[in-house]
Amino acid sequence: MIAANECKNLMEIRAGIDAIDHHIVSLLQQRMEYVLSAAQFKPNLESIPAPDRVERMLSERQRWALEKGLDPHFVIGLFHRIIPWYIETQTAYWQQNQHRS
């Protein structure tokens, strides 16, 4: 992938954006693998949401956004969208696997 400041035309810029978006989707899938693997360590449904952990995560992601020069409100908003999806998926996965035990 060509660095953004080395692109010579819009086609190269778009190719770079597409490559990054593909990587983001792959990372979301990898994150899901960790989330589902974590289900085995959760003793009950109530332990899945882990609101204290989520608050610590959001604070850390806000700091990361600031360090990278990104709008922290946008980054936190993004995580407010994806975290519930992971929690819902882990909950369903936990319930499904409890019936197999």
Side-chain angles (χ1 to χ4, degrees):
M1 184 169 65
I2 301 171
N5 63 350
E6 294 176 5
C7 290
K8 295 182 180 29
N9 56 54
L10 191 54
M11 192 169 81
E12 289 178 353
I13 293 285
R14 288 177 176 163
I17 289 170
D18 289 347
I20 290 168
D21 288 351
H22 185 263
H23 189 62
I24 290 169
V25 171
S26 294
L27 291 172
L28 289 170
Q29 184 272 329
Q30 288 176 10
R31 189 181 195 281
M32 184 61 77
E33 288 179 13
Y34 280 97
V35 167
L36 296 180
S37 187
Q40 69 184 311
F41 301 106
K42 303 289 179 108
N44 52 47
L45 281 175
E46 294 76 26
S47 65
I48 291 174
D52 293 340
R53 161 80 173 136
V54 170
E55 284 306 311
R56 287 191 307 274
M57 284 174 51
L58 291 173
S59 177
E60 189 170 41
R61 274 91 183 134
Q62 181 176 23
R63 181 176 52 80
W64 294 346
L66 289 168
E67 289 171 359
K68 296 293 184 182
L70 295 173
D71 179 351
H73 298 290
F74 171 78
V75 172
I76 294 303
L78 181 61
F79 278 95
H80 273 294
R81 296 274 317 228
I82 67 171
I83 289 171
W85 175 60
Y86 284 106
I87 290 171
E88 289 170 18
T89 305
Q90 186 184 70
T91 298
Y93 181 82
W94 189 92
Q95 289 174 317
Q96 180 182 16
N97 287 301
Q98 286 304 305
H99 292 137
R100 293 182 185 165
S101 300

